[in-house]
Amino acid sequence: MFDLDRWQEIFQTINKNKLRTILSGFTIAFAILLFTLLFGIGNGLKHTFEKQFAGDSQNSVYINSGSTTKPYKGLQSGRQIQFRNEDAKFINEKFSKEIQFFSPNIQRYNVQAIYKGEQNRYTVRGVYPDYQPLESAEIIEGRFLSYIDIKRRAKVIAIGRLVEEDLFGAKGALGKNINLDGISYKVVGVFSDPGGDNDERYIYAPFTTIQGMYKPNDEVDYFGLTFNSKLSVDEALAFSNLLTVVLKEKHNVDPRDQSAIRVRNYAEGTKNVQQFMTVLNVIILFIGIGTLVAGIIGISNIMVYIVKERTKEIGIRKALGATPKSIIGMILMESIFITALAGYTGLMVGVFALRALGDSLEKYFILNPSVETYVVVGATIVLIIAGTIAGYIPAKRAASIKPIVALNDE
């Protein structure tokens, strides 16, 4: 393998047959390049879908109320369904095994927030501590709301990263007080959110504090919960369907009424995405395999031609005493060297192209196109093995020919 004379001989052969070497190398490099680009674009589509679902936990369920559109049990249509604290207790007791985290919510829009000379308007949500995992919010300073805050109806808040930037700049908000619609709240935490800028402009306050100020009749705007992570997607969808039926029965809503009580289960979106990604993976894999097969066929044809072209040379080597093993070894080493070098070149060009095109592909819903190293390395190894086999078979056949026959080959 590390015979210097043999390597010098291989490089001399390559140098004498530049066109042949370039063509065979181009076939291999193009196959790996195309393979890399296809898998990179496929991963970019995956990243796009992952980002779309990054704002909320994948096992989140949101329950909203509206107006009835159908008369039911003597009640007229157009009746507004209003959730209350008793509904929260009812849901928790009825579905204690299925629910992981649960939070009733009150949402106030365009609340004026003032800190010294800075002011802006934000959405304020009154929530329980369990709401944090629903939004996948990550605390970067301080803490989130606690059950002690709920019990004491404390005037404390956790603010989004961009709220801190808007009102405090580089000073930091932790421990300072913000005036919200004329009432002072202490900042106990600052959070970031993978959902993006909009989700980082929310302000969270204890549910009991907000309800006491704005909802004197124990009213609730909506509920948020996460189902048990042990549930399969189908079991989670069955749970949310049953939850919808039970709540409609409790509030005397026609089962066919789609507006009065709406249950949005992220498991349904997850299932659709999983199905789409499965189909996408199959398509990419099919195209990738087709690309490799085309490369393998190209290598095989080239190697057959190379060996055929060198038949006389092989005859001379045998006449001078070269063994079939040494002849086969020389041809295989040349084949492996060209395949590995061209494959690596195609890989590097592909990776560089993905990085160069990365940002420009976002408008086509392809985010951060990239490819795992083990995938393209594996593909390159497959081509190297194919090149080895493609070179071995004709080389063995040529090495077995008698010198006189090889020398007379046309």
Side-chain angles (χ1 to χ4, degrees):
M1 183 67 180
F2 297 100
D3 188 333
L4 182 59
D5 292 335
R6 173 164 290 187
W7 279 107
Q8 287 178 342
E9 189 175 356
I10 289 173
F11 284 120
Q12 286 174 358
T13 303
I14 292 174
N15 188 52
K16 290 178 181 178
N17 300 276
K18 295 184 179 69
L19 181 60
R20 183 187 70 195
T21 303
I22 291 172
L23 290 176
S24 58
F26 176 79
T27 302
I28 299 162
F30 183 75
I32 292 296
L33 170 61
L34 190 57
F35 186 89
T36 303
L37 292 177
L38 285 172
F39 268 83
I41 291 172
N43 284 334
L45 289 172
K46 291 181 186 179
H47 297 155
T48 299
F49 279 93
E50 288 170 358
K51 184 180 180 181
Q52 292 298 321
F53 284 82
D56 298 285
S57 175
Q58 297 304 293
N59 61 336
S60 296
V61 178
Y62 291 92
I63 309 168
N64 293 273
S65 62
S67 299
T68 59
T69 58
K70 300 178 183 295
Y72 188 67
K73 291 185 178 181
L75 300 171
Q76 294 183 350
S77 61
R79 178 168 49 95
Q80 179 68 38
I81 303 300
Q82 178 61 63
F83 292 140
R84 301 185 186 278
N85 288 349
E86 64 179 34
D87 291 300
K89 183 179 179 181
F90 172 79
I91 293 171
N92 273 300
E93 290 178 351
K94 187 76 175 177
F95 299 98
S96 59
K97 293 181 180 179
E98 290 83 2
I99 293 175
Q100 183 182 30
F101 297 106
F102 181 87
S103 175
N105 301 269
I106 294 172
Q107 191 154 279
R108 303 289 295 179
Y109 299 97
N110 293 318
V111 175
Q112 187 177 45
I114 302 174
Y115 175 74
K116 294 184 178 179
E118 300 293 334
Q119 60 178 309
N120 210 331
R121 291 187 176 273
Y122 303 98
T123 297
V124 176
R125 286 173 171 172
V127 300
Y128 271 68
D130 277 5
Y131 197 75
Q132 182 185 353
L134 270 78
E135 289 292 322
S136 301
E138 181 180 347
I139 294 296
I140 54 179
E141 293 180 83
R143 63 176 177 84
F144 197 66
L145 308 175
S146 70
Y147 277 95
I148 295 177
D149 298 329
I150 297 292
K151 184 177 181 180
R152 294 178 178 176
R153 299 191 175 188
K155 291 183 176 61
V156 296
I157 53 175
I159 65 174
R161 179 183 60 86
L162 295 182
V163 176
E164 181 183 44
E165 286 187 12
D166 292 344
L167 299 180
F168 297 90
K171 297 177 183 178
L174 198 63
K176 298 183 173 64
N177 291 308
I178 295 179
N179 187 298
L180 300 178
D181 280 351
I183 300 173
S184 181
Y185 292 80
K186 183 179 181 180
V187 178
V188 296
V190 180
F191 66 87
S192 63
D193 194 300
D197 290 357
N198 289 337
D199 288 346
E200 292 186 340
R201 282 199 162 90
Y202 285 114
I203 296 175
Y204 293 117
F207 173 82
T208 50
T209 305
I210 300 300
Q211 188 181 54
M213 291 180 178
Y214 300 105
K215 305 284 186 180
N217 297 317
D218 290 344
E219 295 177 354
V220 178
D221 289 341
Y222 66 97
F223 298 107
L225 62 90
T226 60
F227 54 81
N228 193 316
S229 57
K230 294 181 180 179
L231 296 180
S232 66
V233 172
D234 290 334
E235 288 173 338
L237 292 174
F239 155 64
S240 61
N241 291 335
L242 179 59
L243 178 59
T244 305
V245 171
V246 169
L247 286 175
K248 285 183 176 180
E249 289 178 354
K250 183 177 185 300
H251 288 273
N252 295 315
V253 174
D254 190 308
R256 297 167 298 173
D257 194 327
Q258 302 298 316
S259 300
I261 294 176
R262 303 180 301 277
V263 177
R264 180 163 55 103
N265 191 338
Y266 274 68
E268 185 172 359
T270 301
K271 183 177 182 179
N272 293 335
V273 171
Q274 288 175 346
Q275 291 174 343
F276 175 81
M277 295 313 300
T278 299
V279 173
L280 181 63
N281 285 333
V282 170
I283 293 173
I284 293 173
L285 185 61
F286 180 78
I287 296 174
I289 291 174
T291 304
L292 287 181
V293 170
I296 291 171
I297 293 173
I299 293 171
S300 300
N301 290 336
I302 290 171
M303 289 308 302
V304 169
Y305 173 76
I306 289 173
V307 174
K308 178 67 174 175
E309 187 184 45
R310 298 175 66 179
T311 302
K312 285 189 177 182
E313 176 191 336
I314 291 172
I316 294 171
R317 289 178 181 275
K318 291 193 71 176
L320 294 175
T323 63
K325 183 178 179 181
S326 66
I327 293 172
I328 294 172
M330 178 192 64
I331 295 175
L332 288 184
M333 284 180 65
E334 181 181 339
S335 172
I336 292 171
F337 175 73
I338 293 173
T339 305
L341 182 61
Y344 182 76
T345 302
L347 168 61
M348 290 296 99
V349 172
V351 171
F352 178 78
L354 288 175
R355 290 178 179 175
L357 296 172
D359 294 337
S360 64
L361 294 177
E362 286 190 25
K363 60 183 177 181
Y364 301 107
F365 305 103
I366 299 172
L367 180 66
N368 187 26
S370 58
V371 62
E372 295 84 356
T373 303
Y374 72 89
V375 173
V376 286
V377 169
T380 306
I381 291 174
V382 168
L383 282 182
I384 291 173
I385 294 173
T388 303
I389 296 173
Y392 176 78
I393 295 174
K396 183 179 180 182
R397 187 182 299 116
S400 64
I401 299 175
K402 294 180 179 180
I404 188 63
V405 176
L407 291 171
N408 291 325
D409 183 72
E410 294 295 335

